[in-house]
Amino acid sequence: MKRILTFTLALAAGVACSNQANYSLTGKTASEDGLAVYLVDNLTGETLDSTIVEGGAFTLSGKAGKDALLYVAEEGADWRTLFFNDGTPIALDLIDTTMTASPLNEKLLASDKALTDKYMELIKVSRLGKTAETAEERVAANERLSEIYEEYSGLLKNILEENRDNLLPAAFMDQLLEEIEDDSVENPYDEKYAYARHPYAKECKRQYDEQNAKWAAINEAKQKVIGQPFIDLEEPDVDGNPHKLSEYLGKGNWILVDFWASWCGPCRAEMPNVVAAYEQYHAKGFDVVGLSFDNDKEAWKQAIVDLKMPWIHLSDLKGWQTIASDTYNVKSIPDNILVDPEGKIVARGLRGADLLAKLSEIYAQ
């Protein structure tokens, strides 16, 4: 899973549904009287209406864009109740997070709750992994994290596949764009579907494409090192002793310089592939030099043990300010470069099966 819930939709003022529909919303809440309740356009961030709680209840009514994606939020509360303004009255209970509304909006709330519950589980298990006292507990937490990622992705796939005929996927287009990538899922952004033509979905797609274009430019710049000699740098090992890359690279062996960090979930998920490559080809001369983007020395050292990484490890413990970041234009991790026996960079960003395939090709020669 790439980058879980990291895509953020910026304000998009001026983009709205052109037709109007009535909204009529009554709510129950445990909040104290006098607190504000807001109705907000999820696309633009504009507050469309507001009221105050009286006697544990509130009412909102008026007109807004037909089928616009709106949300209700209580003052000081984290939870936001999403709904499509389809003209059907809504009775919302914020005490037990339920609503009586159109089938579409009832399904929207249920889907949002399921995804949120899974995300909160992810946070809980992630914290357990960070505070675990034994290697077994950390390994178990990491395994559970991988399972939760898959479960979260599965929920999104179900939302998409079970609702191609309605607007529901539009409400989750930011997550769908981030999570749904494999070939088993039909294009979720095809505008033959009404949800993909919804203004919120279209704005998500526009910003996603813009973000991807920026990443493509960064990746293009990163690939310019291919064919060039490696650039030397110096960092300490786990015992604090300084070492240069030139001690290992250009000495007659194939070397993978691996950019990673103990706190990086995708790095940890990728590490078994690197370990497998090392175990298969180390006897033939292949080696790995790990350049960590860690700040915490103990976390770095413990991850080396937990992930069973028997190769050379260096880090100046400066996080993203590490010398390796600027030297090799590393803007995201995991990342790596493969250096030939003469010290020339021949490949970059070899992940999963691609690394083993490249080494198989090299050592078959």
Side-chain angles (χ1 to χ4, degrees), residues 19-259:
N19 298 324
Q20 296 284 297
N22 292 322
Y23 61 83
S24 176
L25 193 150
T26 58
K28 292 170 55 180
T29 177
S31 296
E32 63 186 57
D33 287 359
L35 283 181
V37 179
Y38 302 99
L39 179 67
V40 181
D41 189 313
N42 199 52
L43 173 62
T44 66
E46 178 187 359
T47 298
L48 304 179
D49 199 354
S50 65
T51 188
I52 60 172
V53 175
E54 293 184 5
F58 61 88
T59 301
L60 291 162
S61 62
K63 286 183 177 291
K66 177 71 169 68
D67 292 327
L69 184 61
L70 312 178
Y71 68 79
V72 176
E74 292 183 283
E75 181 181 352
D78 293 330
W79 178 259
R80 299 175 176 183
T81 304
L82 289 166
F83 69 93
F84 289 101
N85 188 37
D86 57 11
T88 302
I90 296 174
L92 178 61
D93 189 334
L94 293 177
I95 300 173
D96 60 9
T97 321
T98 59
M99 71 162 59
T100 301
S102 65
L104 174 64
N105 281 324
E106 290 180 2
K107 188 184 292 188
L108 171 55
L109 178 58
S111 299
D112 199 12
K113 286 170 64 177
L115 285 171
T116 300
D117 287 346
K118 193 59 61 179
Y119 180 61
M120 296 309 295
E121 185 181 358
L122 183 83
I123 292 175
K124 179 180 178 181
V125 175
S126 178
R127 287 172 177 166
L128 287 175
K130 291 178 181 178
T131 58
E133 296 182 355
T134 68
E136 290 77 10
E137 290 174 340
R138 280 187 288 272
V139 169
N142 285 329
E143 289 176 350
R144 181 59 187 140
L145 275 177
S146 296
E147 292 173 356
I148 297 171
Y149 281 136
E150 290 301 317
E151 291 164 4
Y152 181 84
S153 183
L155 285 173
L156 282 170
K157 288 180 181 179
N158 288 339
I159 287 171
L160 179 66
E161 296 299 353
E162 295 173 6
N163 296 280
R164 294 280 190 175
D165 61 346
N166 62 64
L167 291 178
L168 185 64
F172 304 102
M173 186 57 75
D174 50 349
Q175 291 106 303
L176 286 166
L177 287 162
E178 287 289 331
E179 300 301 328
I180 305 301
E181 295 184 323
D182 59 81
D183 294 336
S184 67
V185 179
E186 184 185 351
N187 181 5
Y189 348 112
D190 192 328
E191 290 199 11
K192 71 181 180 181
Y193 299 112
Y195 69 78
R197 299 193 299 272
H198 190 278
Y200 181 78
K202 293 179 74 171
E203 179 63 11
C204 286
K205 182 64 164 61
R206 184 193 69 77
Q207 293 194 31
Y208 181 77
D209 289 343
E210 184 178 273
Q211 185 182 64
N212 275 353
K214 291 179 180 178
W215 280 110
I218 290 171
N219 288 332
E220 183 179 356
K222 287 166 61 174
Q223 295 300 320
K224 289 182 179 179
V225 301
I226 295 176
Q228 302 299 315
F230 78 90
I231 304 170
D232 206 5
L233 57 80
E234 182 177 274
E235 294 189 9
D237 62 18
V238 293
D239 297 316
N241 302 311
H243 292 276
K244 293 184 175 182
L245 281 182
S246 54
E247 294 176 37
Y248 315 106
L249 278 59
K251 302 294 185 182
N253 289 325
W254 288 88
I255 308 290
L256 184 77
V257 179
D258 190 41
F259 307 108

